[in-house]
Amino acid sequence: MEKKNIEEELEYIKKVNQIMQAKGKKYHILTMGCQLNENDSEKICGMAEEMGYTKTENINEADLVILNTCCVRENAEDRLFGKLGEIKKLKEEKGTIVAIGGCMMQEKHIVEKLHKSYPFTDIIFGTHTLHKFPSDIYQTLVKKSKIEDVLDIDGEIIEGLPIIRDDKYKASVTIMNGCNNFCSYCIVPYVRGRERSRDPKDILDEIKALAKEGYKEVTLLGQNVNSYKGNGNLGIDRFSDLLRAVNQIEGIERIRFISPHPKDFTDDVIEAIRDCKKICKIIHLPLQSGSSNVLKAMNRKYTKEQYMELIEKMKKQIPGVVFSTDIIVGFPGETEQDFEDTLDVVSKVQFEQVFMFIYSRRVGTPGDKMENQIPEEIKHKRFERLKQLADSQVQKNNEKYIGTIQKVLVEGKSKNNSQMLTGRIDTNKVVIFQGKDEMIGKIINLKIVSEHMWYLKGEI
Ligand code: SAH
Ligand code: SF4
Ligand code: F3S
């Protein structure tokens, strides 16, 4: 994969900085999507701040409003249009610059709708042109022109963008962009392009720099991380090689990754998880459906049996491993029996966490053209049934922690109670406890004393 030289973009950062000097302009950003989208927002913040903007949580005092959109489900899209109604007033009152980026901007029908119904939008940028944000801002400030900067082709790999991270002790690192799988319900391959893996050296350098800054935990991000393909640099070709290399980095104490695809979960990846002490022994393994028929229609390329075999194999080889998952209910053609197969897998695996979604038709995907769509009412009923089962398991799983000693990365003061500290255990559950401020940013041992569905309580 060719890397792009971004010197030109960095020049635009300087240019904007010069014309903005000492003007105290503020920006507000709203991130609407997944962790990849969040990681993109961290880069947008990096660029905005180098241009001279400072961040504000209050949209009303912003001179620049940035919306980083998601289109994976309908409700994500609705959020944008709701927000734009509100922003229209701001634009009229104080001429706020409105920039909209992210996955949704890669959809032609959405961009058309913006032109028609929200013509006050100043900048539209896509997933492949994120790095051009500074030049987009420059054109808007200087030429006062409307910018549409969306590319249909797969973007290059961009290295060296400034970044302002949301957290101080845990960080996300994108290892690959795009997806080649075309699951029949999913819009992501159309808006993120084909798989492009970063150079292993760039990834490791980024993580080493994070460790130096005091970061303790990294999450490796990609739409399909276990199909990562290194270029052989530093001897790294496969995802498992990358995991082993990250495990060697001094200072990093915890490694997570999302999302792997069950079809690419090869033995070398399982062995790397088993061998590497720092890899958290909770694996997010998206199931989507427990029915082999539905999985086939979804183009997932595994059966219920293969999924269960993979879980069993991992349980055997990786002591203490647990799982979380994603499930879609109401995919076209899903029968009562199919849905019960999903419930069956959920009750057998005992997931630590289940992310549940009601199937949402996405324009341009094969699923949208299928004739046997499930009525909304049935979808919602099934969702409720799945939720009940999953919630009861979460509670059961939580009880298992009571009385155990857990390693906790202390993240800071609890938002709801400033007397308490908050952190996460290996399996990513939140723990609240009474402790001293100097524990923040460290990994400490806590005894779990009670469970409260969404969090555990601990004692030193
Ligand atoms: N690449 C990742 C994540 C994709 S998006 C993966 O394959 O696991 C995150 C989740 O959103 C998916 O796992 C899926 O459960 C859900 N999702 C994607 N498209 C959807 C749709 N059209 N309707 C409902 N849920 C969807
Ligand atoms: Fe979407 Fe499937 Fe790719 Fe995940 S693997 S991003 S669900 S197409
Ligand atoms: Fe993520 Fe949504 Fe795009 S889930 S990849 S921001 S469509």
Side-chain angles (χ1 to χ4, degrees):
M1 185 83 220
E2 281 292 305
K3 271 184 263 179
K4 190 182 150 51
N5 193 335
I6 55 158
E7 264 152 40
E8 198 184 316
E9 303 311 322
L10 300 179
E11 273 307 306
Y12 276 109
I13 290 185
K14 282 192 205 139
K15 284 189 195 171
V16 174
N17 206 314
Q18 272 158 11
I19 54 177
M20 295 240 315
Q21 240 167 32
K23 281 197 188 145
K25 300 271 186 199
K26 291 186 176 156
Y27 76 101
H28 175 81
I29 186 163
L30 190 64
T31 306
M32 300 164 154
C34 61
Q35 275 170 286
L36 280 154
N37 188 254
E38 284 172 11
N39 193 232
D40 284 347
S41 282
E42 291 180 331
K43 290 170 189 154
I44 297 172
C45 292
M47 291 185 274
E49 302 208 4
E50 294 230 335
M51 283 188 275
Y53 287 95
T54 50
K55 193 173 187 168
T56 171
E57 298 301 327
N58 177 0
I59 193 169
N60 295 314
E61 60 174 38
D63 304 283
L64 165 65
V65 171
I66 308 158
L67 305 173
N68 195 10
T69 62
C70 168
C71 54
V72 79
R73 286 172 292 274
E74 193 177 356
N75 53 7
E77 291 189 350
D78 293 345
R79 258 188 90 198
L80 172 70
F81 296 120
K83 203 72 198 169
L84 280 174
E86 192 183 312
I87 289 170
K88 184 167 186 258
K89 269 197 231 121
L90 263 181
K91 180 83 192 171
E92 285 164 359
E93 282 163 18
K94 53 180 285 193
T96 313
I97 298 177
V98 181
I100 315 179
C103 291
M104 217 171 146
M105 298 304 107
Q106 296 291 138
E107 296 186 289
K108 287 207 175 68
H109 67 280
I110 297 288
V111 173
E112 276 163 28
K113 182 167 171 178
L114 284 178
H115 285 317
K116 225 170 110 199
S117 310
Y118 305 91
F120 57 85
T121 304
D122 296 288
I123 300 170
I124 292 174
F125 62 105
T127 57
H128 304 306
T129 44
L130 178 88
H131 58 288
K132 287 172 69 197
F133 187 62
S135 74
D136 295 341
I137 293 283
Y138 180 79
Q139 310 294 346
T140 310
L141 288 173
V142 172
K143 302 194 179 142
K144 314 262 179 237
S145 53
K146 303 266 178 208
I147 310 286
E148 187 180 318
D149 197 359
V150 181
L151 269 182
D152 235 354
I153 54 158
D154 294 346
E156 292 125 315
I157 297 273
I158 309 293
E159 297 292 346
L161 284 181
I163 185 161
I164 306 258
R165 297 184 187 269
D166 295 337
D167 292 298
K168 282 210 285 219
Y169 310 109
K170 54 177 190 180
S172 300
V173 174
T174 300
I175 63 165
M176 61 189 305
N177 294 306
C179 180
N180 293 349
N181 292 319
F182 291 93
C183 302
S184 55
Y185 49 82
C186 186
I187 192 77
V188 170
Y190 304 89
V191 296
R192 288 262 172 188
R194 295 297 70 70
E195 285 176 7
R196 297 155 333 260
S197 295
R198 284 176 72 198
D199 186 327
K201 181 165 186 311
D202 291 327
I203 298 171
L204 294 175
D205 284 349
E206 181 175 342
I207 299 174
K208 281 179 198 157
L210 286 167
K212 278 217 180 87
E213 283 175 56
Y215 283 87
K216 295 284 185 307
E217 178 178 314
V218 286
T219 301
L220 309 178
L221 295 181
Q223 292 299 351
N224 187 2
V225 283
N226 48 348
S227 73
Y228 173 84
K229 280 184 193 64
N231 54 8
N233 208 354
L234 307 173
I236 295 170
D237 293 306
R238 304 169 299 178
F239 181 56
S240 56
D241 302 331
L242 183 68
L243 284 176
R244 287 180 191 273
V246 177
N247 193 58
Q248 301 276 325
I249 297 177
E250 216 174 298
I252 296 298
E253 296 184 42
R254 266 183 185 171
I255 305 165
R256 304 183 190 278
F257 53 87
I258 48 167
S259 291
H261 195 301
K263 80 174 166 61
D264 297 312
F265 227 110
T266 45
D267 288 346
D268 57 302
V269 177
I270 299 178
E271 284 154 19
I273 298 168
R274 180 198 62 200
D275 297 344
C276 297
K277 268 219 186 88
K278 297 174 182 176
I279 299 179
C280 293
K281 302 300 183 260
I282 178 162
I283 307 298
H284 184 67
L285 195 64
L287 170 67
Q288 311 302 3
S289 167
S291 149
S292 296
N293 292 332
V294 174
L295 286 168
K296 187 146 200 276
M298 285 177 163
N299 193 29
R300 288 291 289 179
K301 302 192 174 82
Y302 54 87
T303 61
K304 174 187 184 186
E305 289 70 31
Q306 284 167 331
Y307 185 91
M308 289 307 299
E309 277 163 25
L310 179 59
I311 294 269
E312 289 312 318
K313 184 152 90 180
M314 282 201 257
K315 280 187 177 166
K316 222 181 263 163
Q317 297 200 21
I318 309 167
V321 72
V322 293
F323 301 91
S324 62
T325 201
D326 287 355
I327 292 175
I328 298 175
V329 297
F331 184 77
E334 183 186 73
T335 63
E336 185 56 30
Q337 181 55 49
D338 291 326
F339 177 63
E340 293 200 356
D341 277 337
T342 298
L343 296 180
D344 184 46
V345 175
V346 172
S347 53
K348 283 189 175 128
V349 179
Q350 300 265 328
F351 294 103
E352 289 283 306
Q353 214 175 351
V354 182
F355 298 92
M356 292 161 266
F357 308 105
I358 290 176
Y359 172 67
S360 169
R361 294 173 77 161
R362 304 288 72 209
V363 175
T365 61
D368 186 40
K369 294 179 197 91
M370 292 178 185
E371 273 163 18
N372 39 8
Q373 301 289 330
I374 306 293
E376 286 304 315
E377 200 194 315
I378 295 182
K379 284 197 231 176
H380 280 90
K381 278 201 178 130
R382 287 186 185 159
F383 182 86
E384 279 312 312
R385 280 169 67 195
L386 175 62
K387 190 170 177 305
Q388 269 187 13
L389 176 64
D391 284 355
S392 71
Q393 290 200 339
V394 170
Q395 191 158 9
K396 233 195 276 165
N397 273 330
N398 280 354
E399 282 164 9
K400 193 177 74 183
Y401 288 101
I402 297 174
T404 64
I405 308 286
Q406 298 287 330
K407 281 200 159 65
V408 178
L409 171 58
V410 186
E411 292 172 7
K413 288 198 195 305
S414 161
K415 274 193 193 117
N416 304 323
N417 181 351
S418 63
Q419 304 297 310
M420 305 286 269
L421 295 178
T422 175
R424 281 176 193 263
I425 61 174
D426 232 38
T427 55
N428 222 3
K429 286 197 188 298
V430 174
V431 184
I432 313 275
F433 66 101
Q434 219 152 26
K436 298 193 191 82
D437 285 2
E438 63 255 31
M439 291 172 174
I440 296 172
K442 300 206 171 86
I443 293 186
I444 62 165
N445 282 326
L446 281 183
K447 184 173 177 186
I448 306 302
V449 291
S450 58
E451 75 86 24
H452 307 262
M453 196 72 192
W454 305 118
Y455 65 95
L456 304 170
K457 249 194 194 147
E459 271 174 19
I460 294 165

